[in-house]
Amino acid sequence: MSMRALDVLIVGGGLHGLSAALHLARAGKRVTVLERSWVGRHASGASAAGVRTLNRPLVELPISLEAMDMWHKIEMIVGNDCGFNAGGQVRVAEDAKDLSVLERRFATVQGAGYHHEELVDRAELLRLVPAISPHCVGALVARRDGAADPHRTLLAFRRAAEAAGVSINEQCGVTAIERAGSDWRVRTEGRDFVAPVIVNAAGAWAGEIASMLGDNIPLGLKASMMMVTERVAPLLNPVVGVAGRPLSFKQSGQGTLVIGGGLQGRADIKTQRSFVDFDELAKGARAAVDLFPCIRFVRIVRTWAGMEAKTEDHQPVIGASPNGNGVFHAFGFSGHGFQLVPVVGAILADLILHDRTSRPIEAFSAKRLMKREAAA
Ligand SMILES: Cc1cc2nc3c(=O)[nH]c(=O)nc-3n(C[C@H](O)[C@H](O)[C@H](O)COP(=O)(O)OP(=O)(O)OC[C@H]3O[C@@H](n4cnc5c(N)ncnc54)[C@H](O)[C@@H]3O)c2cc1C
């Protein structure tokens, strides 16, 4: 391959890197993905894979709803259903106070012109989730939501990207980036790569990559934890969350219960390792048993933590770099980026191919996070 045989280099082989690669390759771009470990090693492989529009911030709703339409035809996009089950997502209220929080959310969403969320009473909640504790009083529901299988999703996006001509290089960590005329030279532990365009989809390490490209973007870190139980008989179809508690609860196709909700473990960015905090995790187990008393003797068989970048306002960074010509960022998904995967790749392809996108992404500019630094 000659030095100039590449149009776009993507740093990071998580789902966002793969999705951008897929959309760009289908539009005729020659794309290479550089992944330090292996595809799906970090957040994308650790994800709960909830496909949720329910309770998303209003600024995310336009792209999240478009992503949801894409999930409903995901097989047409990547040639595999990714294990997506549109069983709905339900946000439960345990008492009148929490119900009033859900009522306010419902009014806000309706007021903004969105109708994907629905307020349901206790009877409908019990119909949707018969195993739920009878003390629950109502819920917000998004019936087209659901969950996918993160590993099937990774494999599907990888295969589709490779079929479109994307070259994926694993064990290929980026160590430095410098300008080479109007191009970028990307140094890895092995060979160098040169391309005019770079996509930064490096997850928890995206801040490091951004600073190599001239952008100083302050980022935090999330280390969300998950636990999985032994298999049980069919218990529920929707994904269940609760107002005011860290819980996301669902049953996989294999019958295991998959329990998360954003409880935080610990992550070490330098050694690229994350750790489970069992005292914290116990809070999630407690919440699960409070909501589903019938599972109190079910055994937990596996736990883990995954890591990714978190921004100050918990909104991602999606868009062109303020300082680096030909650089595009997609990171900082702050614990809810799985659902957005199909649409963010399409947005990056818009920006790289046409210099603009019709999708509303102003709220996701890198600049909003860099302001304080510029003012200092
Ligand atoms: C436990 C957990 C549960 C979650 N649950 C949900 C959910 O239910 N719903 C939802 O919407 N979202 C959820 N998320 C969030 C979602 O999984 C992430 O937002 C999404 O997977 C991020 O994908 P990514 O490609 O940006 O990052 P990653 O998958 O982390 O990919 C980034 C990649 O960049 C690579 N990299 C880093 N530095 C370099 C370098 N220097 N050179 C080369 N490669 C590099 C890394 O090795 C990594 O593979 C969850 C996350 C976690 C951790």
Side-chain angles (χ1 to χ4, degrees):
M1 190 198 296
S2 84
M3 292 286 271
R4 301 294 299 267
L6 267 179
D7 296 316
V8 183
L9 269 172
I10 297 187
V11 185
L15 280 168
H16 282 288
L18 295 176
S19 176
L22 172 64
H23 283 93
L24 286 161
R26 284 198 178 149
K29 293 289 177 193
R30 294 160 302 177
V31 184
T32 286
V33 174
L34 306 177
E35 164 54 48
R36 180 168 51 205
S37 301
W38 60 87
V39 161
R41 164 67 183 89
H42 286 290
S44 299
S47 187
V51 179
R52 173 180 63 81
T53 59
L54 185 67
N55 209 40
R56 288 232 170 213
L58 288 186
V59 289
E60 266 182 24
L61 279 182
I63 64 168
S64 179
L65 287 166
E66 186 184 350
M68 190 55 74
D69 288 340
M70 295 170 97
W71 277 105
H72 278 264
K73 53 174 189 187
I74 200 71
E75 192 154 4
M76 281 157 65
I77 300 173
V78 292
N80 187 285
D81 69 8
C82 298
F84 175 54
N85 169 26
Q89 291 236 3
V90 176
R91 189 167 170 83
V92 172
E94 293 184 82
D95 55 31
K97 187 171 104 315
D98 286 345
L99 191 59
S100 69
V101 173
L102 297 187
E103 282 165 355
R104 275 202 301 281
R105 160 76 186 178
F106 179 67
T108 306
V109 168
Q110 293 282 314
Y114 298 107
H115 305 289
H116 62 289
E117 297 186 11
E118 190 185 322
L119 200 57
V120 303
D121 62 11
R122 184 165 173 277
E124 176 63 359
L125 170 60
L126 283 166
R127 199 192 64 77
L128 285 169
V129 193
I132 198 104
S133 169
H135 77 272
C136 297
V137 294
L140 259 186
V141 176
R143 295 186 193 262
R144 295 187 83 223
D145 284 8
D149 177 322
H151 305 291
R152 284 177 61 182
T153 306
L154 276 159
L155 200 57
F157 273 83
R158 177 188 195 138
R159 287 195 174 143
E162 284 176 332
V166 173
S167 155
I168 297 177
N169 293 263
E170 292 169 291
Q171 306 295 329
C172 190
V174 172
T175 52
I177 305 176
E178 59 212 38
R179 286 239 70 126
S182 60
D183 288 345
W184 294 97
R185 181 186 310 280
V186 176
R187 299 197 183 279
T188 73
E189 289 133 3
R191 51 181 282 222
D192 292 355
F193 295 81
V194 175
V197 173
I198 294 187
V199 172
N200 173 15
W205 297 270
E208 268 174 33
I209 299 295
S211 65
M212 292 180 195
L213 293 158
D215 289 335
N216 255 319
I217 306 174
L219 290 175
L221 193 58
K222 270 197 101 159
S224 300
M225 299 187 290
M226 299 293 304
M227 56 191 139
V228 172
T229 71
E230 61 188 324
R231 295 177 187 204
V232 298
L235 186 71
L236 80 168
N237 194 26
V239 181
V240 173
V242 197
R245 289 225 225 185
L247 180 69
S248 139
F249 186 94
K250 62 173 172 277
Q251 187 164 30
S252 73
Q254 297 80 26
T256 57
L257 301 173
V258 182
I259 306 169
L263 282 165
Q264 294 298 292
R266 198 164 54 77
D268 184 341
I269 190 111
K270 286 221 169 60
T271 59
Q272 301 157 32
R273 294 186 61 198
S274 47
F275 305 89
V276 170
D277 176 333
F278 284 97
D279 288 338
E280 272 300 294
L281 205 59
K283 293 181 190 165
R286 162 58 54 202
V289 170
D290 285 352
L291 271 291
F292 295 91
C294 58
I295 65 154
R296 68 191 175 285
F297 298 120
V298 174
R299 280 173 299 187
I300 294 163
V301 295
R302 202 155 60 90
T303 64
W304 69 88
M307 59 174 137
E308 75 169 317
K310 173 179 78 177
T311 62
E312 202 176 64
D313 55 12
H314 294 206
Q315 295 302 313
V317 174
I318 305 169
S321 152
N323 297 313
N325 201 14
V327 174
F328 298 84
H329 296 304
F331 59 82
F333 292 95
S334 307
H336 49 266
F338 183 87
Q339 193 263 347
L340 299 173
V341 161
V343 76
V344 174
I347 292 170
L348 289 169
D350 278 352
L351 296 174
I352 291 166
L353 291 156
H354 311 298
D355 240 2
R356 64 193 156 74
T357 180
S358 57
R359 283 112 173 174
I361 58 162
E362 298 73 28
F364 314 128
S365 75
K367 270 200 184 128
R368 80 187 194 277
L369 302 170
M370 296 160 80
K371 268 186 195 138
R372 196 186 301 155
E373 216 156 278

